[in-house]
């Protein structure tokens, strides 16, 4: 087995112990509180005082270690603590069923636990995929502890709307640069951002219907904004166009209106700062002329002719959704710009010709093919396996149910893949992985995610082959879907990685 990544220094090992210690402490605190809740209010109050005292001790310890804790490590400790609180609250019947009103008391002690791990160098509060209203509320309540925060992100829809609390606490974050608050953001929150968070560079408020045209005047105050995501808010496309015209550094346009072209409401003849366009195409000539410096385009094609994209000489990332390869003239597009593309993503595109991508996209780094149908290649046709495409691709994501079994053998020629994801397909076997790894196909792989459906063909033999041949491997994902890998085998693998300090995550 090749030598795998180990913690580099004694300091790294010490930090791992600190993280584990804090997680264990949080788990023991929550367990004690749950047990006390079932014994009555007096027992709960006593235990809450004990936990509070322990929190002060742990915070002093972390503060004393501050010089040895990096921003990344501080974020890791924070996420571990939030995970414990979230998991315990979601399953805490002892507290939920207690015959006394414990909500505010439990909220206050959890706030105390969270403040314990918030250090002065905490700069990221990126809480994505958290659906707990309780946890989100705790995070918002503790914003006063993190005045140096530069990133605050919520991307999930919670049961309770915490926007009122957000609007009264956001003023603490004078240095905020990246703000994401989907679903529940309001005009009041945006007003506070305009008043206090003048360093903002990116803002994502999508799905927030309580964000209306009233917010535009406040967004216009944020002159450093480079990225604004307002899809599925109640801001009109007329005022969205006005906003794009006013922001001097804006780099993106996102629009999904079937009736209104936001480009018609932009006062400038050209928006030279725009690098990304996402959404529907109303007038491709208008788009290419007003935004000549586009580097990333993500569009719903609906069988429109896309050959005029060739005129966008800086376009290197192309994503096309919904259409027919022939009607979109995809072959002509690839002939005209394939050599400069670094990323190509096709979603729900019919009649994709893999050979065209291999031969014409020589510099491609990332290829995503999801829910596409493919042209059946001639069994006798041969593609030169020495083509630059096979050497240069580092990320390949394949999702769907129509990739031909005969084409799977070509995967072995991608010798420099770092990310490989394959979902809703049963095209891989232990024998294929064995043959591919011996040829060096996955020698640089970092992330190997395969979701099996149907019968399932991969076993622990594939895992062992990857461990033996892929020294850079950091993630094996969707192992739960491998029907021929038992829960016991998976648990043994996780324990084996933990005891040997191997930096490999099993998902």
């Amino acid at each position: 087995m090749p030598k795998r990544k180990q913690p580099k220094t004694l300091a790294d090992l010490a930090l791992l112990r600190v993280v584990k210690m804090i997680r264990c402490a949080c788990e023991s605190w929550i367990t004690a509180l749950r047990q006390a809740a079932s014994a009555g209010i007096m027992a709960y109050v006593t235990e809450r005082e004990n936990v509070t005292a322990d929190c002060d001790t742990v915070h002093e310890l972390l503060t004393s270690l501050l010089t040895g804790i990096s921003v990344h490590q501080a974020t890791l400790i924070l996420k571990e603590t939030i995970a414990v609180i979230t998991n315990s609250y979601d399953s805490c019947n002892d507290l939920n069923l207690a015959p006394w009103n414990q909500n505010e008391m439990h909220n206050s002690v959890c706030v105390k636990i969270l403040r314990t791990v918030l250090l002065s160098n905490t700069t990221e509060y990126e809480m994505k995929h958290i659906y707990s209203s309780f946890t989100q509320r705790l995070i918002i309540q503790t914003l006063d502890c993190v005045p140096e925060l530069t990133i605050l992100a919520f991307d999930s829809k919670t049961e309770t709307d915490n926007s009122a609390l957000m609007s009264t606490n956001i003023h603490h974050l004078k240095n905020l640069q990246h703000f994401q608050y989907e679903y529940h953001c309001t005009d009041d929150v945006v007003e506070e951002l305009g008043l206090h968070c003048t360093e903002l560079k990116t803002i994502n408020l999508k799905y927030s219907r309580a964000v209306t045209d009233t917010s535009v005047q406040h967004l216009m105050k944020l002159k450093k904004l480079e990225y604004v995501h307002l899809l599925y808010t109640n801001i009109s496309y007329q005022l969205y166009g006005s906003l794009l015209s006013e922001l001097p550094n804006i780099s993106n346009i996102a629009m999904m209106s079937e009736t209104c072209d936001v480009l018609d409401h932009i006062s400038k003849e050209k928006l030279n700062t725009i690098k990304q366009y996402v959404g529907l195409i109303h007038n491709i000539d208008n788009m290419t002329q007003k935004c000549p410096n586009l580097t990333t385009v993500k569009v719903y094609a609906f069988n429109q002719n896309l050959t005029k994209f060739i005129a966008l000489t800086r376009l290197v990332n192309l994503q096309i959704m919904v259409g027919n390869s022939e009607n979109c003239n995809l072959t002509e597009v690839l002939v005209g710009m394939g050599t400069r593309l670094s990323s190509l993503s096709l979603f729900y595109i019919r009649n994709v010709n893999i050979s065209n991508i291999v031969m014409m996209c020589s510099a491609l780094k990332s290829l995503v093919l999801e829910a596409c149908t493919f042209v059946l290649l001639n069994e006798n046709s041969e593609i030169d396996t020495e083509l630059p495409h096979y050497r240069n691709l580092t990320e390949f994501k394949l999702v769907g149910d129509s990739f031909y079994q005969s084409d799977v053998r070509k995967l072995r020629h991608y010798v420099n893949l770092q990310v490989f994801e394959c979902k809703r397909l049963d095209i891989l076997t232990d024998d294929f992985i064995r043959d591919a790894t011996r040829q060096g196909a996955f020698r640089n792989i970092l992330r190997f995610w395969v979701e099996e459906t149907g019968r399932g063909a991969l076993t622990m033999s594939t895992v062992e082959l990857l461990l033996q041949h892929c020294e850079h491997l950091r993630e094996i994902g969707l192992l739960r879907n491998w029907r021929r890998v038992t829960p016991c085998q998976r648990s043994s693998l996780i324990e084996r990685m933990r005891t040997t300090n191997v930096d490999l995550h099993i998902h």
Side-chain angles (χ1 to χ4, degrees):
M1 182 182 296
K3 184 177 180 181
R4 304 190 60 76
K5 185 177 178 182
Q6 306 276 334
K8 293 181 180 179
T9 65
L10 289 175
D12 293 328
L13 288 170
L15 179 71
L16 289 174
R17 294 191 186 99
V18 170
V19 173
K20 185 176 180 180
M21 178 200 73
I22 292 172
R23 184 179 183 91
C24 290
C26 290
E27 289 173 344
S28 66
W29 292 335
I30 297 296
T31 299
L33 289 167
R34 291 173 62 175
Q35 292 173 347
S38 60
I41 186 170
M42 294 306 297
Y44 185 84
V45 169
T46 300
E47 192 56 49
R48 189 183 65 164
E49 291 174 353
N50 293 336
V51 169
T52 298
D54 288 346
C55 285
D56 291 334
T57 301
V58 171
H59 187 69
E60 289 177 10
L61 171 63
L62 286 177
T63 303
S64 68
L65 295 173
L66 184 59
T67 56
I69 297 178
S70 68
V71 171
H72 170 73
Q73 293 163 344
T75 302
L76 177 62
I77 292 172
L78 176 59
K79 286 185 175 182
E80 287 284 321
T81 303
I82 288 174
V84 171
I85 292 175
T86 302
N87 294 337
S88 65
Y89 185 80
D90 289 344
S91 59
C92 193
N93 289 328
D94 295 321
L95 282 168
N96 295 334
L97 298 177
W100 41 273
N101 184 6
Q102 87 299 330
N103 286 337
E104 284 306 314
M105 281 192 288
H106 189 63
N107 179 82
S108 66
V109 73
C110 286
V111 166
K112 180 68 175 180
I113 292 173
L114 196 50
R115 289 183 187 277
T116 298
V117 299
L118 288 172
L119 305 175
S120 60
N121 65 339
T122 300
T123 61
E124 298 181 12
Y125 234 150
E126 194 164 3
M127 298 297 110
K128 295 187 177 182
H129 310 301
I130 290 182
Y131 299 89
S132 168
S133 303
F134 177 76
T135 302
Q136 187 183 91
R137 181 179 177 83
L138 293 180
I139 293 169
I140 297 171
Q141 285 178 291
T142 56
L143 293 182
D144 61 308
C145 293
V146 284
E148 299 303 315
L149 206 69
T150 59
I151 299 174
L152 179 62
F154 300 108
D155 70 341
S156 305
K157 186 176 184 179
T158 57
E159 184 177 347
T160 303
D161 179 353
N162 290 311
S163 59
L165 186 63
M166 178 72 83
S167 66
T168 58
N169 281 274
I170 200 72
H171 69 275
H172 294 292
L173 309 181
K174 310 272 186 204
N175 298 309
L176 197 64
Q177 296 181 22
H178 309 281
F179 181 70
Q180 180 176 7
Y181 190 28
E182 299 180 24
Y183 296 98
H184 292 305
C185 195
T186 64
D187 289 334
D188 289 340
V189 174
V190 176
E191 181 177 2
E192 292 299 311
L193 292 172
L195 289 171
H196 304 288
C197 305
T198 55
E199 298 298 313
L200 272 174
K201 294 181 180 179
T202 71
I203 188 167
N204 185 343
L205 311 177
K206 65 182 179 180
Y207 304 114
S208 296
R209 293 296 184 182
V211 173
T212 71
D213 284 349
T214 301
S215 286
V216 173
Q217 60 181 312
H218 306 300
L219 291 171
M220 285 182 175
K221 297 176 184 177
L222 301 170
K223 297 300 184 182
K224 294 184 179 181
L225 277 178
E226 300 172 3
Y227 179 91
V228 178
H229 200 328
L230 300 173
L231 279 181
Y232 312 113
T233 65
N234 269 319
I235 291 179
S236 66
Y237 280 98
Q238 291 79 6
L239 281 186
Y240 180 41
S242 300
L243 176 64
L244 295 174
S245 302
E246 288 294 320
L247 295 175
N249 302 308
I250 190 65
S251 66
N252 76 302
I253 294 176
M255 59 164 294
M256 291 299 294
S257 173
E258 295 182 9
T259 59
C260 181
D261 187 350
V262 70
L263 295 173
D264 292 334
H265 300 282
I266 293 175
S267 58
K268 295 181 179 179
E269 182 179 342
K270 288 187 178 182
L271 285 173
N272 291 318
T273 59
I274 296 294
K275 300 294 191 297
Q276 181 188 91
Y277 183 98
V278 177
L280 302 175
I281 303 173
H282 287 269
N283 184 328
I284 196 167
D285 289 316
N286 199 19
M287 176 182 169
T288 56
Q289 290 167 14
K290 282 215 168 186
C291 307
N293 295 323
L294 283 169
T295 62
T296 299
V297 168
K298 302 178 180 180
V299 293
Y300 287 85
F302 297 128
N303 297 324
Q304 294 188 63
N305 187 339
L306 302 180
T307 53
K308 291 187 178 180
F309 281 162
I310 297 172
L312 298 169
T313 57
R314 299 188 182 185
L315 182 59
V316 293
N317 305 306
L318 178 61
Q319 179 174 306
I320 305 173
M321 296 165 280
V322 188
N324 186 295
S325 174
E326 297 170 0
N327 295 338
C328 297
N329 280 354
L330 182 60
T331 298
E332 189 175 341
V333 170
L334 295 182
V335 169
M337 62 189 300
T339 55
R340 68 172 182 265
L341 284 180
S342 63
S343 172
L344 176 64
S345 300
L346 304 177
F347 296 83
Y348 295 91
I349 303 297
R350 298 186 300 280
N351 300 322
V352 175
N353 191 318
I354 290 290
S355 296
N356 288 343
I357 296 174
V358 171
M359 291 187 290
M360 299 170 191
C361 300
S362 56
L364 208 61
K365 297 292 185 185
S366 173
L367 176 61
V368 178
L369 303 171
E370 180 166 342
C372 297
T373 63
F374 300 92
V375 174
L376 181 60
L377 300 179
N378 189 323
E379 285 289 337
N380 297 321
S381 64
E382 290 293 334
I383 300 177
D384 184 2
T385 59
E386 297 299 320
L387 286 171
H389 170 85
Y390 287 118
R391 295 194 307 273
N392 292 329
L393 199 73
T394 59
E395 178 177 332
F396 194 179
K397 296 183 180 181
L398 185 58
V399 182
D401 56 7
S402 61
F403 196 70
Y404 293 110
Q405 186 71 38
S406 60
D407 292 334
V408 70
R409 63 182 184 272
K410 296 179 177 62
L411 292 174
R412 74 188 66 185
H413 303 308
Y414 291 103
V415 293
N416 290 312
L417 281 184
Q418 296 178 12
V419 174
F420 178 67
E421 293 187 14
C422 181
K423 299 180 181 179
R424 301 205 304 270
L425 288 165
D426 282 317
I427 58 176
L428 300 180
T429 65
D430 285 346
D431 289 339
F432 171 80
I433 299 295
R434 182 178 296 106
D435 182 53
T437 52
R438 285 174 178 171
Q439 294 187 44
F442 296 110
R443 64 190 177 197
N444 294 309
I445 201 75
L446 297 171
R447 178 184 174 98
F448 184 91
W449 281 47
V450 174
E451 177 187 66
E452 287 200 320
T453 58
R455 70 187 187 283
L458 298 178
T459 70
M460 283 298 295
S461 294
T462 285
V463 174
E464 296 299 336
L465 283 166
L466 293 173
L467 291 174
Q468 182 178 354
H469 293 276
C470 311
E471 64 176 301
H472 304 292
L473 185 64
R474 298 292 171 261
E475 293 183 39
I476 299 179
L478 306 175
L479 204 59
R480 287 189 179 91
N481 295 99
W482 296 17
R483 295 191 177 187
R484 297 178 66 185
V485 173
T486 67
C488 182
Q489 287 175 321
R490 182 176 174 274
S491 298
S492 296
L493 176 64
I494 293 173
E495 183 60 28
R496 179 173 141 205
M497 297 302 102
R498 183 182 295 120
T499 56
T500 55
N501 283 328
V502 172
D503 186 15
L504 177 65
H505 300 281
I506 310 297
H507 301 279

